């Protein structure tokens, strides 16, 4: 029996991601503080460039903090035939419910050296990237659990040009 609702989420970030995000947030805040405390109106171009360096470093740090704070979640409601891809950043959540396409199969493939991706394919040769990980066994386990939960097929594409369907 197919479940009526399925949630696929990155869940909580690992502890080291939280540490990295905190570090980048701290750098960004200090760059803004240094910018405003050292700000003077000047026509000297060297001074202006030095001041803009604080903004550049702060923007870089903020993008790093954003990367380590973002959580992706997919919601599937089979009863209403709707899905939502939600991006959560701190307390902000973005995403809207859309009509669900016909789901075809799950694939696990080797994207690059040591990186495996789990995708949920739907009608029209399109897919949702559900998960990325560095462990092939973990990727296959996630693929098997999803395929079993959604009652669809699983394609093992971890070996280039040698894809095979997995019996569940």
């Amino acid at each position: 029996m197919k479940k009526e609702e399925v949630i696929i989420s990155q869940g909580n970030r690992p502890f080291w991601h939280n540490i990295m995000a905190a570090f980048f947030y701290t750098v960004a805040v200090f760059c803004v503080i240094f910018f405003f405390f050292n700000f003077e109106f000047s026509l000297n171009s060297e001074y202006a460039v030095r001041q803009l360096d604080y903004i550049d470093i702060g923007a870089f740090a903020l993008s790093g903090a954003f990367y380590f704070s973002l959580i992706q979640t997919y919601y599937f409601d089979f009863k209403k035939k709707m899905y939502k891809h939600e991006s959560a950043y701190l307390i902000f959540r973005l995403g809207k419910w859309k009509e669900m396409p016909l789901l075809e199969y799950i694939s696990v493939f080797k994207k690059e050296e040591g990186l495996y991706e789990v995708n949920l394919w739907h009608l029209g040769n399109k897919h949702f990237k559900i998960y990325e990980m560095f462990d092939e066994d973990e990727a296959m386990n996630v693929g098997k659990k999803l395929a079993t939960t959604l009652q669809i097929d699983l394609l093992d594409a971890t070996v280039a040009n040698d894809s095979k369907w997995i019996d569940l």
Side-chain angles (χ1 to χ4, degrees), residues 7-56:
I7 299 173
I8 303 167
S9 178
Q10 287 179 321
N12 294 330
R13 288 289 198 161
F15 184 68
W16 72 273
H17 281 208
N18 294 333
I19 290 172
M20 293 298 293
F23 170 75
F24 284 126
Y25 283 123
T26 304
V27 170
V29 167
F30 276 112
C31 284
V32 170
I33 290 170
F34 287 145
F35 176 79
F36 283 112
F37 276 113
N38 294 325
F39 185 77
E40 293 178 17
F41 286 105
S42 174
L43 297 176
N44 183 348
S45 63
E46 289 176 14
Y47 176 77
V49 168
R50 209 170 37 244
Q51 289 301 100
L52 289 177
D53 284 345
Y54 288 126
I55 298 299
D56 289 344

Side-chain angles (χ1 to χ4, degrees), residues 81-115:
K81 297 185 179 180
M82 303 287 284
Y83 79 95
K84 177 170 72 166
H85 174 216
E86 181 181 86
S87 298
Y89 178 70
L90 302 175
I91 60 170
F92 305 103
R93 299 186 181 284
L94 297 172
K96 63 180 184 176
W97 287 96
K98 299 177 185 175
E99 189 174 324
M100 185 167 22
L102 180 62
L103 303 178
E104 293 184 349
Y105 63 93
I106 300 281
S107 72
V108 178
F109 75 99
K110 190 173 187 178
K111 188 173 179 180
E112 51 192 55
E113 191 60 39
L115 184 64

